[in-house]
Amino acid sequence: MMISTLTSYAKSDLPEIIPEPAQIDLNGEGAFRLTRDALVSMCDSSLMFEASYLAEYTDRYLGIPLKTTVKNLDKPAVSLVNLDNGAVSGGYRLTVEHDSGVLIEGNDAAGVFYGIQTLIQLLPTRAGVLPLLPEVTICDFPRFPYRGMHLDVVRHFFPVEFIKRYIDYLAFHKLNYFHWHLTDDQGWRLEMECYPELTQRGSEREGEIFGLYPGEYRKLPYGGYYTREQVDEVVRYAAQRHITVMPEIDIPGHCMAVLAAFPSFSTTPDEPKKCALTWGIFNKFNNVLAPKPEVFEFLKNVFSELCDIFPGQYIHVGGDECAKKWWQESAETQKFMREHGLKDEKALQSYFIHYVQNVVEGKGKTLVGWDEVLQGGISDDCVIMNWRQPTIGRTALRTGHKTIVTCSQWSYFNIKESRLQPEIGAKGQTPLSLEKVYEFSIEPDSITGKERSLVLGAQACLWTEYIPTTWKAEQFVFPRMAAFAENVWSPENKKNWDSFARKVECQVERYELWGARYSDAFFRMNDISRYR
Ligand code: ACM
């Protein structure tokens, strides 16, 4: 028995994988041992990144260097094969046999990459434990094509090194879209060739808030932005990890930083403008674009350049929380509305979104907007990001829109996880527990078959008003990102909260291995032995 614990796996020890794969079968009781300098082979050099990624992981986190090779005749420990078979993108089969090692066959390169992510979870969670892989066959594929995670880099700015780390976290969880919220009232964080003033005059605010809401205001300059080179680097880094970056430029509201650079773009051009110092929807400070020819010219140039910078299909226009009082109070805006037959301010909001949609579609891309873009009407081709009540998402589906579900009460990770965390987050929010994230039903039971096909997937968001450091960002996303990942990847009939709750213990060991901070609220609130 002593020997068998070193060379084999007990049949009952099903590997604990997050997100839960579609099918796991244990093939025997043997095990394959991954040794130093073992070979990782690939079917051709197009999988070079995937092979090196695995070798770098085992070396960096477990102290086990591996060698990579293209079609080597020697018996490899791990073989990577891209079947390129046109089946579901991201699907893969992973087989471990005690004598021949590991075979990962992906439907495409993304599938090979996800097979590697599953293999990583068969490896130990600490260096020094010898990697014994159970004899297993895992067949797996994602439930939804859009599995997103968002990050607001405006309220608080995060350096490129953290953006890359965040992208790695997404990859570990088999998520494939990074929604980068780059502009808002408090700053413009993307260098633009067409208007350098946006970062020259719109990326800094005069002060910063310390402590819990409402906090203590300190008059310290606060700012930052990403250069084009940095953005290109992030896009490339993400693409290697089969993640698409979706940029968001939020208009026509949430535009104080634009107005700080170009006060004439507002309905109150003679009043002084600066980036917002605090958070919220502004009825006190004008943060809304006015419908003027120079503003539409601006939108055309900015969104055209955005389409050129970001190679992905989706471009996010924001469109949320536009304070319409600024349009109501402006005689010039009301005249524009009359002249263009716009019956109310919702129709004007829709006019702005349509305008940007034409620019983006002219570049061969697809527009995505927060669910307020439904107000005043929007063409079917715009993808709706449903962040408010699920009933709004139902309306989007009923009216034929592709929809991404990110309802705030289940997927805003800036909400604290538990009442036991008085020291973090905004006051007075109903906590968003790990179980609530897990149990949220992405597709409501009542939707019809056709509507079901319009649900592209789901996203979790991290708004950073109260998250000024990378340390806090990690604490808010982990381990809830794991619950979200299982919800959006695994087949519905494989979802099981008790089983997930057991697996999460192992997942946090992995967070420790990666040097990532995580919240222990779940462990403090629950007697974990209940799940064992
Ligand atoms: C949002 O949370 N305002 C999209």
Side-chain angles (χ1 to χ4, degrees), residues 128-291:
V129 174
L130 300 177
L132 276 182
L133 307 172
E135 291 202 293
V136 77
T137 300
I138 297 176
C139 293
D140 199 11
F141 56 90
R143 178 172 168 210
F144 290 106
Y146 186 103
R147 305 177 300 280
M149 187 79 215
H150 148 290
L151 181 66
D152 165 13
V153 294
V154 178
R155 278 46 178 265
H156 285 102
F157 177 70
F158 299 91
V160 162
E161 278 316 304
F162 180 71
I163 302 299
K164 286 158 69 177
R165 189 138 47 98
Y166 197 75
I167 285 170
D168 272 318
Y169 295 148
L170 268 62
F172 285 140
H173 291 80
K174 299 191 175 99
L175 304 179
N176 64 346
Y177 278 89
F178 170 49
H179 174 172
W180 205 359
H181 184 79
L182 285 161
T183 73
D184 214 300
D185 295 315
Q186 296 77 11
W188 183 286
R189 308 254 175 260
L190 172 66
E191 185 179 50
M192 309 283 310
E193 264 168 29
C194 56
Y195 298 97
E197 299 90 334
L198 286 166
T199 42
Q200 286 163 0
R201 299 201 292 255
S203 64
E204 285 186 18
R205 58 181 187 253
E206 288 171 358
E208 169 60 338
I209 295 167
F210 285 73
L212 280 190
Y213 182 85
E216 175 205 338
Y217 175 73
R218 293 190 207 160
K219 202 163 165 32
L220 289 173
Y222 185 98
Y225 65 89
Y226 305 102
T227 64
R228 276 296 304 274
E229 290 72 30
Q230 287 176 319
V231 169
D232 290 348
E233 186 186 338
V234 166
V235 166
R236 212 172 25 247
Y237 190 87
Q240 288 175 321
R241 287 153 183 77
H242 300 278
I243 291 171
T244 303
V245 181
M246 175 174 66
E248 178 186 352
I249 286 188
D250 201 351
I251 67 109
H254 282 289
C255 275
M256 264 170 95
V258 180
L259 302 183
F262 299 105
S264 65
F265 289 1
S266 77
T267 56
T268 53
D270 299 330
E271 288 171 12
K273 301 282 187 303
K274 57 185 181 183
C275 292
L277 305 177
T278 181
W279 338 114
I281 308 167
F282 294 108
N283 282 315
K284 198 155 129 217
F285 307 105
N286 194 342
N287 68 346
V288 171
L289 295 177

Side-chain angles (χ1 to χ4, degrees), residues 18-19 143-144 148-149 173 175 405-418 421 430-443 458-462 475-490 492 495-497 500-501 504 511 519 521-522 525-526:
I18 294 177
R143 178 172 168 210
F144 290 106
M149 187 79 215
H173 291 80
L175 304 179
V405 180
T406 180
C407 296
S408 56
Q409 65 266 50
W410 293 285
S411 33
Y412 273 23
F413 290 173
N414 40 292
I415 300 172
K416 72 171 77 176
E417 206 183 315
S418 136
Q421 298 169 298
T430 306
L432 174 56
S433 69
L434 188 66
E435 184 166 2
K436 208 164 151 189
V437 174
Y438 191 85
E439 293 297 359
F440 169 52
S441 172
I442 296 169
E443 288 170 328
Q459 176 173 291
C461 296
L462 191 69
Q475 187 187 29
F476 275 80
V477 295
F478 294 136
R480 288 181 290 187
M481 194 192 284
F484 170 72
E486 188 149 312
N487 203 359
V488 73
W489 172 283
S490 307
E492 221 172 357
K495 263 180 69 178
N496 179 310
W497 164 251
F500 176 81
V504 88
Y511 295 150
S519 155
F522 169 68
M525 279 189 307
N526 292 280

Side-chain angles (χ1 to χ4, degrees), residues 340-358:
H340 289 79
L342 303 171
K343 72 175 187 334
D344 57 18
E345 287 72 24
K346 286 184 179 170
L348 177 56
Q349 147 118 356
S350 169
Y351 185 92
F352 269 97
I353 303 297
H354 267 297
Y355 182 87
V356 173
Q357 184 170 15
N358 278 335

